[in-house]
């Protein structure tokens, strides 16, 4: 039977807290897998914001979204922008209204330049922004990849950030394979 993959668990936790018509954010659009999952959850009355610093990622995301029927597609805003700026870029009415913010850190798989990676400083700024944008009961999921160059430093920074969230405003969890120290793992934060 086995346990759910990190990404499947992130999608499960988000699905439990998201409804049709919600506002959701993919902080790292990448290949569009998470953006498509979020778009499917919120449906035609919902809104999805997807951020990436690489046009290639946004192009892949748009291509993946083309699989949705036009009548089932939510409002999708693909933004060539750092996730660190998400609170400045989204519509003002999103503050404290988003039901979910997804992060899938690291690099764009299949990219010609694998040196373009998410960085701890911008990721922590983005996580702070995500908490501002989340509604009470909303969730941030963050899939971490300690196995690539720079990944373990970023994972440690995210864990530290999550552990320092006041219990009065959030609860945090880690979902991880304990026998594989370099395997991807998941940190999630639910806003109170």
């Amino acid at each position: 039977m086995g346990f759910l993959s990190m990404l499947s668990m992130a999608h499960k936790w988000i699905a439990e807290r998201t409804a049709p018509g919600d506002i959701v954010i993919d902080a790292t659009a990448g290949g569009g897998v998470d953006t498509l999952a979020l778009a499917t959850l919120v449906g035609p009355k919902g809104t999805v914001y997807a951020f990436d610093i690489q046009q290639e990622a946004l192009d892949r995301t748009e291509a993946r979204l083309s699989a949705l029927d036009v009548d089932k597609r939510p409002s999708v805003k693909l933004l060539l922008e750092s996730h660190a700026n998400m609170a400045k870029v989204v519509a003002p009415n999103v503050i404290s209204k988003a039901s979910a913010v997804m992060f899938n850190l690291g690099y764009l798989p299949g990219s010609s330049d694998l040196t373009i990676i998410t960085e701890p400083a911008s990721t922590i700024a983005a996580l702070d922004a995500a908490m501002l944008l989340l509604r009470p009961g909303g969730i941030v999921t963050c899939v971490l990849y300690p196995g690539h160059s720079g990944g373990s430093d970023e994972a440690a920074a995210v864990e530290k950030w999550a552990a320092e969230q006041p219990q009065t405003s959030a609860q945090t969890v880690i979902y991880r394979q304990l026998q594989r120290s370099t395997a991807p793992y998941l940190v999630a934060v639910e806003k109170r």
Side-chain angles (χ1 to χ4, degrees):
M1 182 177 203
F3 293 107
L4 290 176
S5 72
M6 300 307 133
L7 194 54
S8 294
M9 183 58 82
H11 287 186
K12 179 182 185 318
W13 287 342
I14 285 173
E16 292 170 351
R17 292 161 179 84
T18 302
D22 279 359
I23 299 167
V24 292
I25 299 168
D26 185 350
T28 51
V33 172
D34 294 339
T35 307
L36 178 61
L38 291 169
T40 302
L41 284 172
V42 301
K45 293 184 180 177
T47 302
V48 179
Y49 289 89
F51 292 83
D52 212 290
I53 60 169
Q54 296 179 79
Q55 186 61 50
E56 178 184 3
L58 296 178
D59 293 345
R60 287 188 196 179
T61 299
E62 180 60 44
R64 192 172 298 271
L65 288 170
S66 69
L68 282 178
D69 291 336
V70 174
D71 61 330
K72 292 183 180 176
R73 187 172 169 160
S75 170
V76 178
K77 299 170 187 341
L78 300 178
L79 301 159
L80 185 62
E81 183 74 53
S82 170
H83 55 206
N85 298 326
M86 75 172 83
K88 299 172 192 168
V89 174
V90 300
N93 67 325
V94 177
I95 305 294
S96 297
K97 299 284 193 250
S99 61
V101 182
M102 292 192 79
F103 290 78
N104 199 337
L105 301 177
Y107 55 82
L108 178 61
S111 172
S112 59
D113 187 355
L114 298 181
T115 64
I116 301 172
I117 61 172
T118 53
E119 302 282 346
S122 61
T123 296
I124 297 305
L127 287 165
D128 286 338
M131 293 303 289
L132 177 68
L133 297 172
L134 273 188
R135 68 175 188 211
I139 188 169
V140 171
T141 62
C142 195
V143 179
L144 306 164
Y145 296 87
H148 73 84
S149 180
S152 60
D153 291 339
E154 185 172 44
V158 170
E159 270 194 57
K160 181 178 185 297
W161 174 87
E164 291 174 350
Q165 296 302 300
Q167 289 184 1
T168 55
S169 61
Q171 76 174 341
T172 63
V173 296
I174 292 179
Y175 181 71
R176 185 173 199 170
Q177 294 179 339
L178 296 176
Q179 302 98 327
R180 298 178 54 214
S181 63
T182 60
Y185 65 103
L186 174 63
V187 169
V189 181
E190 183 179 58
K191 187 172 181 177
R192 294 187 190 270

